[in-house]
Amino acid sequence: MDESALERYFDDSIANDSCLSLEEELGVQSPAPVPEDSSFLSGKAGPSREPGEELDLSFLPDELSTQEEPGRHDDTALDTSQDSGIHPDYNSRDSTAAAAAAADPQQGAPMLGIGASPFCPMTPMTPMTPMTPVTERSGIIPQLQNIVSTVNLGCPLDLKFIALQARNAEYNPKRFAAVIMRIREPRTTALIFSSGKMVCTGAKSEEQSRLAARKYARVVQKLGFPARFLDFKIQNMVASCDVCFPIRLEGLVLTHQQFSSYEPELFPGLIYRMVKPRIVLLIFVSGKVVLTGAKERAEIYEAFENIYPILRGFRKQ
Amino acid sequence: MSGAGVSCPGCGSSNIVDDDLYSQAQMVCVDCGSVVSEGVLAHDPNGGSDVSYSWTTAVTRKPCVNLVKGLQRVKAICRILRVNKEIEDLSQTYYKQAYQHQTFIKVSLQKKEVLAGCCVLVSCRLLNWPITMATMSCLLDADPMVVGVVYQEMVKVLRIEAPIVNVTDVVEAHSQEYKISLLHVPEQLAENSKDLAKRAVALVELAADTWIVTGRKPIPIMMAAIYLAWQSLKPSKQRLKFTLDRFCQIAKVNKHRTALKRITEMKEVLCKLGREIPWVREEVTPDNVVRQVDDILKNRYALLRRALRTHEDALQAEDSVTEEVASSQASEPVEHTPNASAVELYGLNSERTQQPGDGNESPCTAPELQNDSQESQESAPNWGKRMLFAPPCVTHPKRRRAGLPGLQDVNGDEEISDSEIDSYIRTPREAREFALTQKILSLSESEKS
């Protein structure tokens, strides 16, 4: 009885307070898994089926390639995840294919005349479909490592009480004026302030961050506070990837001086502040790239696609 | 206040007290009673005037004392470094600009001193007179990280785009620090500083070409280069037995621990090149490579080319072997799991056809990760191991704990089970016990202190 009442109350508060922002988010988030999944998997399945083929273009969309795609979408869509695991696998296949495609510009160029994303017929500006990460250029997809989000629980909180009643909370007012709470699934940490505002960190995707924030709000609710779920917002996204070749950072800082800062005495990586989109990239000699400062996934993908050709230029001494 | 350092003109005693019994404060000698000084009718209020300096009109009439001192400090640093007049002028200009900017006007005096050093640093970089940040921190006697922070802020505020310091430029200046000439050490250990610097520069250039320098702090690299140069200029048994520790002792410099790692890395590179020398019969190992350094450096470009070619040939031979193995396996259907070697071969073949003569650029597309994540950890650094020279962080990657897979396929709106939430909340009894324990603990803490 209590359970269903709580659920209803919670869902009500979501519906009433943040309907606009949520709809937008839902609109952005939910269609995302499907096209990405299928696109990745079609790419993965492709090369294994035709090892003998010279140029494997199966990663390109249906209308442009000669193979049949629909069957693959259905059976492979189920056992894939949106992030993690499958992607590195995909990286290698696609880089191979990408390299193959890049070698043959006549075939590659006309297919991508549309713009950035061969899979998504709409331009990246449309809010409904996020920009897909695959282009003919890199085939590498940055993986999200950390999402920082904030939410307003909408009521003042007694931090001492929370620290006393909750198992997973720590509170040291002399050190920091917030309760640090952790949950196991999704593995995240939250800072809960007495004003009722909360910061949730450590999730690996936007949806996980939202789920985690809801769980924290639920815990606070169970402790007896009239917590709501207002203004959930992703504040920062961090992603990383590997271009798999070493990079001459000294050269990069020479040619892109207005954007780069490279001080080996202070930090081994080059700090590249991209203007559009406004993302900071940490580029290391090993070829690993960390992207941060994004509010949306598309910004990260766009930033990486912008930097990849620049980095390829520094591949050869 | 009793007259510190003030002596009575009448009797010479220093026992002078401030006597403000009367309306006018006076300093009176206790012994002879003479008035040493007469107070003014109106004192400046204790602790200075009520209006702070920045609000007074003195700002326009008299420049800030700290600014003047800071400019003098900039000049002093320039003189110590013996830079030219241009650099001195430029750094003073920058200091004036930075000092008056809002970011720096209210920082501590210590930071302002560091700012002075940073202005000199940036001017040196702009006018091609390279010094390292470590040198500047030594000069300022400040934490290198603090210097770094102030430097970066200053560069951002003043919008300067300063070129980076090339390690090869700094080596010569750095080698002057090493007291290893005939004046300081016996003949068998002594080395002419010019020869030493020249050889060290060659070693650093080689290190830069083979990915040892990028991303690393310059000083340990220079130390390693100078040590190896010193050893190789006269590779006697005595010198070869000298450890880095002892070398730094006799040269009177502070040893850097990471220099040992750089020495190992450099020796590895030298070995790779040493193996290509046609007239060397014995096997080249890190122990005996120092004797070959002279030859290696003289012919380093030729040796580099040879080494790359040899490596490429070796790779092609390896590929043809795997091709034979894979072709026997390729007949099997590859429906469910991609045949790793076949795909790898496929990937490599396509790479080879595109970039024939490029041994160093081994496939970046070498398929790294199989379905099994464990395999992936081993084959991930593959691309580095296939290259002859790769950044050491790639060939020896840090072993990272594999992250737990965690949730997949989350849409953010799932049902949250009550039991899960309950698991995060204490039972009433638990909460009572916890509160009690805390009280006991805090009592014992307060008793202790």
Side-chain angles (χ1 to χ4, degrees):
Chain A
M1 167 54 199
D2 282 346
E3 197 176 306
S4 50
L6 268 171
E7 278 277 3
R8 266 182 279 123
Y9 170 68
F10 207 60
D11 292 334
D12 276 346
S13 64
I14 296 171
N16 293 336
D17 300 327
S18 42
C19 44
L20 275 175
S21 56
L22 270 175
E23 268 176 10
E24 205 178 77
E25 272 172 42
L26 289 172
V28 173
Q29 252 91 65
S30 35
V34 179
E36 284 176 26
D37 281 345
S38 45
S39 56
F40 296 169
L41 260 303
S42 55
K44 177 198 171 195
S48 62
R49 290 201 194 177
E50 291 96 7
E53 219 176 79
E54 183 70 51
L55 289 172
D56 178 56
L57 303 168
S58 59
F59 71 99
L60 294 172
D62 300 342
E63 51 269 30
L64 299 172
S65 78
T66 49
Q67 292 126 8
E68 59 323 322
E69 294 276 327
R72 271 192 236 153
H73 284 236
D74 296 327
D75 30 288
T76 51
L78 289 169
D79 54 340
T80 58
S81 63
Q82 193 180 17
D83 265 334
S84 63
I86 219 71
H87 290 190
D89 212 4
Y90 182 59
N91 286 355
S92 51
R93 305 292 179 273
D94 232 12
S95 336
T96 317
D104 194 350
Q106 292 102 350
Q107 264 184 300
M111 295 187 208
L112 291 129
I114 317 164
S117 38
F119 283 92
C120 167
M122 294 185 265
T123 66
M125 292 307 146
T126 321
M128 282 300 290
T129 321
M131 184 166 143
T132 49
V134 180
T135 71
E136 109 268 50
R137 302 241 170 247
S138 71
I140 304 172
I141 299 135
Q143 281 178 245
L144 289 175
Q145 303 292 345
N146 183 24
I147 311 269
V148 177
S149 57
T150 55
V151 71
N152 186 0
L153 299 176
C155 65
L157 303 172
D158 181 352
L159 297 185
K160 279 189 104 152
F161 180 76
I162 293 176
L164 183 62
Q165 298 291 335
R167 286 190 183 137
N168 52 341
E170 59 183 84
Y171 179 47
N172 199 342
K174 291 189 198 129
R175 217 162 51 138
F176 191 56
V179 164
I180 302 167
M181 199 182 278
R182 293 171 225 267
I183 57 173
R184 291 178 288 268
E185 195 62 54
R187 213 166 132 254
T188 50
T189 306
L191 301 172
I192 306 177
F193 294 85
S194 53
S195 60
K197 298 229 170 97
M198 180 172 86
V199 180
C200 172
T201 62
K204 299 273 186 207
S205 79
E206 304 91 318
E207 297 80 17
Q208 283 186 28
S209 191
R210 187 141 170 275
L211 179 62
R214 281 176 58 221
K215 288 192 181 178
Y216 287 113
R218 194 67 94 71
V219 172
V220 171
Q221 244 183 15
K222 278 238 169 166
L223 290 174
F225 298 95
R228 283 141 76 217
F229 199 75
L230 311 170
D231 310 320
F232 176 79
K233 183 169 179 225
I234 306 267
Q235 300 290 355
N236 186 27
M237 299 170 74
V238 182
S240 70
C241 58
D242 191 353
V243 300
C244 301
F245 52 81
I247 302 172
R248 286 271 168 220
L249 301 177
E250 304 93 344
L252 182 57
V253 76
L254 271 177
T255 50
H256 290 76
Q257 209 169 37
Q258 59 278 55
F259 307 113
S260 340
S261 154
Y262 170 54
E263 294 292 336
E265 295 188 72
L266 299 176
F267 189 63
L270 187 150
I271 303 169
Y272 192 101
R273 292 176 197 273
M274 198 176 278
V275 171
K276 185 165 161 32
R278 226 177 117 244
I279 302 279
V280 174
L281 298 94
L282 302 176
I283 303 167
F284 296 89
V285 66
S286 57
K288 298 209 161 59
V289 180
V290 174
L291 305 98
T292 181
K295 293 258 190 312
E296 273 163 36
R297 203 185 268 253
E299 289 177 7
I300 291 198
Y301 295 147
E302 197 189 328
F304 183 69
E305 293 306 324
N306 288 348
I307 201 80
Y308 189 72
I310 297 171
L311 295 180
R312 282 203 74 143
F314 283 95
R315 200 173 151 188
K316 282 176 160 302
Q317 275 78 309
Chain B
M1 58 176 180
S2 7
V6 182
S7 55
C8 166
C11 63
S13 105
S14 57
N15 200 353
I16 298 180
V17 294
D18 201 27
D19 178 21
D20 50 9
L21 180 60
Y22 305 106
S23 60
Q24 201 178 37
Q26 293 167 342
M27 282 169 52
V28 182
C29 170
V30 174
D31 300 327
C32 69
S34 60
V35 174
V36 176
S37 72
E38 280 196 305
V40 295
L41 280 168
H43 275 296
D44 276 334
N46 252 336
S49 76
D50 281 336
V51 185
S52 69
Y53 170 76
S54 50
W55 284 77
T56 62
T57 51
V59 174
T60 46
R61 275 185 283 132
K62 215 173 39 175
C64 170
V65 176
N66 286 325
L67 175 59
V68 170
K69 277 206 215 146
L71 285 169
Q72 283 174 349
R73 188 126 176 78
V74 169
K75 206 190 272 186
I77 297 175
C78 291
R79 294 287 157 83
I80 296 174
L81 291 171
R82 293 201 226 163
V83 296
N84 57 40
K85 187 88 175 55
E86 239 187 277
I87 296 178
E88 203 178 300
D89 291 336
L90 186 61
S91 32
Q92 288 194 317
T93 320
Y94 279 142
Y95 186 77
K96 251 186 265 176
Q97 281 180 10
Y99 186 94
Q100 288 164 346
H101 193 274
Q102 60 178 30
T103 337
F104 289 109
I105 191 81
K106 295 203 179 145
V107 299
S108 63
L109 283 176
Q110 188 199 26
K111 254 198 177 165
K112 284 181 178 159
E113 277 188 36
V114 173
L115 179 63
C118 293
C119 291
V120 178
L121 189 60
V122 82
S123 316
C124 285
R125 284 196 180 182
L126 284 168
L127 294 172
N128 208 8
W129 203 99
I131 50 167
T132 59
M133 237 179 246
T135 314
M136 186 50 75
S137 340
C138 270
L139 208 57
L140 296 171
D141 200 19
D143 181 12
M145 284 299 144
V146 173
V147 177
V149 166
V150 175
Y151 176 80
Q152 284 180 324
E153 250 194 85
M154 179 196 77
V155 166
K156 193 165 64 163
V157 157
L158 297 178
R159 312 226 183 134
I160 306 171
E161 280 170 18
I164 50 162
V165 172
N166 217 338
V167 187
T168 40
D169 297 332
V170 193
V171 176
E172 269 193 62
H174 183 78
S175 64
Q176 307 286 350
E177 277 185 38
Y178 289 71
K179 308 262 178 292
I180 206 90
S181 63
L182 269 169
L183 310 164
H184 305 105
V185 290
E187 205 195 307
Q188 319 97 295
L189 304 174
E191 222 33 85
N192 179 351
S193 78
K194 245 209 304 235
D195 295 332
L196 193 67
K198 196 163 148 214
R199 177 148 298 188
V201 167
L203 277 168
V204 170
E205 281 176 1
L206 181 62
D209 283 337
T210 54
W211 299 103
I212 294 176
V213 171
T214 311
R216 267 86 175 275
K217 290 198 175 145
I219 303 230
I221 298 172
M222 295 196 284
M223 182 175 284
I226 291 172
Y227 169 71
L228 286 174
W230 174 78
Q231 277 195 327
S232 66
L233 278 170
K234 212 184 278 172
S236 62
K237 256 213 171 89
Q238 185 194 30
R239 280 207 194 180
L240 292 178
K241 276 224 202 93
F242 254 70
T243 58
L244 182 67
D245 236 344
R246 282 215 62 196
F247 175 71
C248 293
Q249 264 176 17
I250 61 168
K252 303 211 182 49
V253 291
N254 287 329
K255 185 185 108 155
H256 283 265
R257 260 198 342 204
T258 47
L260 284 166
K261 286 193 221 155
R262 302 291 169 260
I263 291 171
T264 322
E265 287 166 6
M266 283 195 199
K267 278 193 174 168
E268 232 180 274
V269 166
L270 289 167
C271 281
K272 285 182 184 161
L273 293 184
R275 281 177 205 134
E276 301 298 322
I277 300 179
W279 58 81
V280 168
R281 300 295 158 145
E282 56 181 7
E283 200 199 327
V284 180
T285 67
D287 297 322
N288 60 22
V289 74
V290 180
R291 290 181 209 276
Q292 317 294 344
V293 168
D294 193 35
D295 290 329
I296 296 174
L297 289 176
K298 280 209 187 88
N299 308 298
R300 63 181 191 263
Y301 297 114
L303 288 173
L304 269 169
R305 281 195 294 271
R306 279 184 72 133
L308 291 173
R309 216 172 298 140
T310 318
H311 184 75
E312 204 192 304
D313 293 338
L315 279 180
Q316 280 190 337
E318 209 182 282
D319 291 343
S320 59
V321 168
T322 52
E323 185 175 335
E324 286 169 24
V325 172
S327 59
S328 57
Q329 295 177 356
S331 51
E332 293 168 25
V334 286
E335 197 75 82
H336 298 288
T337 47
N339 185 333
S341 54
V343 184
E344 182 170 338
L345 168 69
Y346 156 76
L348 287 171
N349 272 338
S350 61
E351 264 290 317
R352 293 249 164 267
T353 50
Q354 289 148 44
Q355 292 159 11
D358 197 359
N360 213 14
E361 301 312 322
S362 283
C364 79
T365 59
E368 310 164 350
L369 305 170
Q370 332 293 324
N371 286 332
D372 185 5
S373 61
Q374 274 181 335
E375 268 186 57
S376 76
Q377 274 189 343
E378 290 159 13
S379 46
N382 243 353
W383 74 260
K385 293 212 159 104
R386 290 188 68 91
M387 286 174 70
L388 181 57
F389 297 115
C393 57
V394 175
T395 48
H396 307 289
K398 285 191 192 147
R399 291 237 147 246
R400 278 178 199 274
R401 196 168 52 98
L404 304 158
L407 284 180
Q408 331 273 34
D409 280 344
V410 173
N411 69 359
D413 286 317
E414 278 99 343
E415 296 280 306
I416 302 172
S417 74
D418 235 29
S419 52
E420 190 190 340
I421 302 295
D422 279 334
S423 71
Y424 291 122
I425 299 179
R426 294 198 165 112
T427 60
R429 182 183 151 163
E430 206 182 309
R432 275 199 304 271
E433 287 178 1
F434 181 74
L436 197 62
T437 321
Q438 267 205 323
K439 216 187 292 180
I440 297 172
L441 272 174
S442 66
L443 276 177
S444 67
E445 281 285 319
S446 56
E447 267 173 38
K448 264 189 239 170
S449 57

